[in-house]
């Protein structure tokens, strides 16, 4: 079997260099180019890349992708900052390049993506749902973006199913005890030396609870998701938003 | 809105009496009959029951269901002992009663059913998967039936996806340390005073783990699943095997 | 071996009736009296009780204990409402009855008492400590009294050891995300249908975390502590405040 | 305040180089020497070291310590292989050097040491105790040495308290399901990609459970224990075996 030819743009960053390592280590992939800031995009076509892993910056991602799509090179994108406008512009480019696929993934951790997907599926079947996220104490924001997103997805799933408000008989509370309210879902942020990034979704019904917990113990946890994206995007023309669409859920 | 008329057969057993209580407490359901051993099945039709909750014994369940289906009464069945033969016989009865639905649920706990469903969905995306189940120390079998079933479903999902064997460099082990082997999935059984029934599915990949945990803290945990079955079976003609089909997964 | 003769006052309440059951079931104890409201205290001496389990009300506990101590009957007390004044009055009574012991226990759950003891011992050895308590949603206060007490004990242990403030780089936070502040220890309160009473103390240092978790799954969890108190108080003259003193810690 | 002068022997190994880093980073310590294989021991005295961190090999540790004790240099020792014989020999050396202290620590992780200490304290107060240890799948032995040691300490504490055997009604079991038997304490070993080193002690009694969990997420977790040893050993003449003696427990 011939190997899939892969290039990385943004190859000098922390995630980018992990991606270079992961692509190089995969038996079915061949790293054909690794571009840093200032390198010429033409290298991508010259190297024969079939897929590009795009890990740069919102300022450069559009130009990078328009080049790739124009060349019929598939792309797996970790760079953020996608507005409706930008997505529309990318869609137009893709319409003109049938057969070319782009995956934009706000989160490459398969565990985090599954946690959100399962939380959404389970949310309507339990009376109570809360989110506890735990991170190292150097984190600047609370709750984490992932926890806020998870709570929003849970709230939307419950709203769509017509779930009643969560039961809560609290009368007397210390300020903050019941967490932050994200669309009606309490979210609690723990900051603890020794931790990296962890999240727990707790669901409770009569006589039982279901807990979905994701522990990210090392930054390399993004790599299996990146490689999965690379392997699938070549068979998935058009725009895919979110790694969950490549996980054969349901 | 008129209430759905529900009867319980096997109403004197522990689960049966919980079902009687739960149906009576539900705003949208009306308990119209509660039969114990020796009571006449004809009472079901006479009471105007639209749905029967069947919680008896493998010896009596076939006769009970053939009566119900013959009368166009839907059924939600917790009684076990279903062979291919028995299922075929029930299918024939249902063919003759279009519009009538039967749900057979080996497990009515929504949390347990979701745990199995999520474990199956996640199994192929992680290198390692193990199951830890924890029960009270009066339990006679290890692993629990649910844990064995969960491990089998995990193994089947991995086989279907072509997953390689799990990594395990163990060279020296005390007997039993690595758990029981269920189709290649290690299963560990903890027995602890104070517990009821708990199960954890641990999945691990590069730099991250995903844990799905179900805690059953009271026998009433079966009731939301029974009520869900009652409400859905009236709109689901034919035979449905497993509560997961009523949970809108995927 | 002759059995220890035990009486229960407040025997009709929920905890009291559990105590009656537990004393009756213990091989080394004999239940000689079970008093409810309005019953004569003299019954205690007439029954030959050596130890009384006092589970009544702050309004009656002083009179009950003064009677017992006056008769040389040991006591295990679960009733709350102890002020310095009341403790002093009880101390005076005990001074006049050398050899008689009284245990006052704000919490009879051995697991909860050990959780607090271990949290105190561990608190100074980790940079970060937070408390998460999880209860059923019918609870009126947040945090729970036990969690507040645990956080206060942790804070006191850290102050005594000269621990610096906990690291926390949070700059942007949703209201409540970082929990309630109890003497500098963040406390988070989860309310979930299906739970009873649970508490987790999380401690984190460089590269590691230590978690102490107590799960109370049934109200009977108080009984082993009550029985332990009964057996030990007869050998422990004077006033003992807190079950931890009977647990041979350290 | 003048800084404590510290040397590291075995400074080139993985743990040794972490120790060099940690000593250098501590405000109250000064790294005065870092010896690798073949370096002259005399450097230690010449550098003015007051404490040596010994992280070499069973073959060299005795000679290294005899040199240090002879010079009145305190030592913190992570090297293993201590027999009664060797300990006696070291004791004799220390008798001749009053005021000099040596700490031998089989485990420098404060979290692991506290887990063992708490498990011992709690073991007799619960009917059931089991150990679950979880490690990366490259580990060669199962259970881990720490888990085996923990189970042995639990078993010894229960034997000393006259605890009855654990309740276990298992009649039918798959081979291995109930774990390995270490002195009557079941130990379960999970091997999962993504994990480092984790251990859970589960204790259960009537209506409640207590769980003590230690997560080691990075090899740097040993360093706070090493630094604690360095600071304390200078005030603790003679031989101390085990970091728990420096943790002010009880």
């Amino acid at each position: 079997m011939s190997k899939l030819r892969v290039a990385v743009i943004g190859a000098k960053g922390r995630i980018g260099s992990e991606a270079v390592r992961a692509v190089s280590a995969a038996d079915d992939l061949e790293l054909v180019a690794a571009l840093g800031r200032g390198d010429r995009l033409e290298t991508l076509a010259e190297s024969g890349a079939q897929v590009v892993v795009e890990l740069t910056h919102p300022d450069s991602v559009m130009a990078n992708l328009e080049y790739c799509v124009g060349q019929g090179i598939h792309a797996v994108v970790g760079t953020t900052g996608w507005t409706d406008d930008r997505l529309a512009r990318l869609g137009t480019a893709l319409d003109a390049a049938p057969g070319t696929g782009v995956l934009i993934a706000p989160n490459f951790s398969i565990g985090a993506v599954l946690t959100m997907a399962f939380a959404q599926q389970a949310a309507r079947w339990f009376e109570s749902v809360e989110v506890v996220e735990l991170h190292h104490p150097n984190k600047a924001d609370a709750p984490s973006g992932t926890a806020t997103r998870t709570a929003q997805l849970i709230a939307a799933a419950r709203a769509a199913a017509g779930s009643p408000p969560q039961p809560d008989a609290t009368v007397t509370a210390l300020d903050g005890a019941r967490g932050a309210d994200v669309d009606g879902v309490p979210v609690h942020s723990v900051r603890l030396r020794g931790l990296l990034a962890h999240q727990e979704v707790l669901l409770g019904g009569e006589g039982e609870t279901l807990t979905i917990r994701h522990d990210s113990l090392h930054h390399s946890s993004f790599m299996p998701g990146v490689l999965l994206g690379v392997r699938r995007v070549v068979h998935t023309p058009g725009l895919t938003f979110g790694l969950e669409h490549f996980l054969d859920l349901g």
Side-chain angles (χ1 to χ4, degrees), chain A:
Chain A
M1 194 185 74
S2 77
K3 295 183 176 190
L4 196 59
R5 294 185 303 277
V6 182
V8 176
I9 331 187
K12 304 287 155 47
R14 195 184 58 183
I15 302 290
S17 54
E18 288 268 8
V20 163
R21 182 188 63 71
V23 169
S24 304
D27 284 345
D28 58 335
L29 307 180
E30 182 186 354
L31 182 76
V32 295
L35 274 63
R37 194 190 313 232
D39 287 339
R40 298 168 50 248
L41 286 177
E42 290 70 23
T43 313
L44 296 172
E46 292 160 15
S47 71
Q50 297 167 281
V51 189
V52 155
V53 178
E54 213 291 345
L55 300 164
T56 67
H57 190 271
D59 288 350
S60 44
V61 64
M62 271 315 296
N64 291 342
L65 290 181
E66 286 175 335
Y67 171 83
C68 290
V69 172
Q71 298 284 334
I73 303 175
H74 311 281
V76 168
V77 184
T79 302
T80 56
W82 291 95
T83 58
D84 285 350
D85 234 45
R86 298 191 130 212
L87 289 172
R89 207 170 121 198
L90 179 59
T92 305
L94 280 163
D95 287 346
T100 303
V102 171
L103 166 71
I104 300 178
N107 199 327
F108 278 115
S109 153
I110 293 176
V113 171
L114 288 177
T115 296
M116 284 187 264
F118 295 161
Q120 276 178 282
Q121 292 181 46
R124 62 177 289 195
W125 303 115
F126 292 88
E127 288 179 60
S128 309
V129 193
E130 306 208 1
V131 176
V132 180
E133 56 93 345
L134 313 94
H135 283 82
H136 58 84
N138 302 328
K139 189 169 180 58
D141 55 322
S144 68
T146 302
T148 301
R149 180 83 186 123
T150 304
Q152 289 167 340
L153 292 170
I154 288 168
R158 290 171 71 89
S163 304
Q166 302 201 29
D168 184 355
T170 309
V171 175
T172 315
L174 280 189
D175 236 41
R178 292 287 291 116
D181 180 321
V182 177
D183 298 354
V185 177
V187 181
H188 310 267
S189 299
V190 174
R191 296 293 171 262
L192 217 65
R193 182 74 71 212
L195 292 180
L196 187 55
H198 314 256
Q199 171 166 313
E200 231 173 39
V201 179
L202 300 107
L203 305 113
E206 190 174 342
E208 66 174 353
T209 62
L210 178 67
T211 307
I212 304 165
R213 179 176 175 120
H214 177 238
D215 290 274
S216 183
L217 296 104
H218 194 270
H219 294 293
S220 62
S221 63
F222 295 112
M223 289 311 120
V226 170
L227 299 189
L228 169 67
V230 165
R231 289 172 186 131
R232 289 259 173 141
V233 75
V234 299
H235 307 299
T236 316
L239 178 61
T240 304
F241 196 92
L243 191 62
E244 59 273 26
H245 299 290
F246 282 7
L247 293 179
D248 302 335
L249 301 177

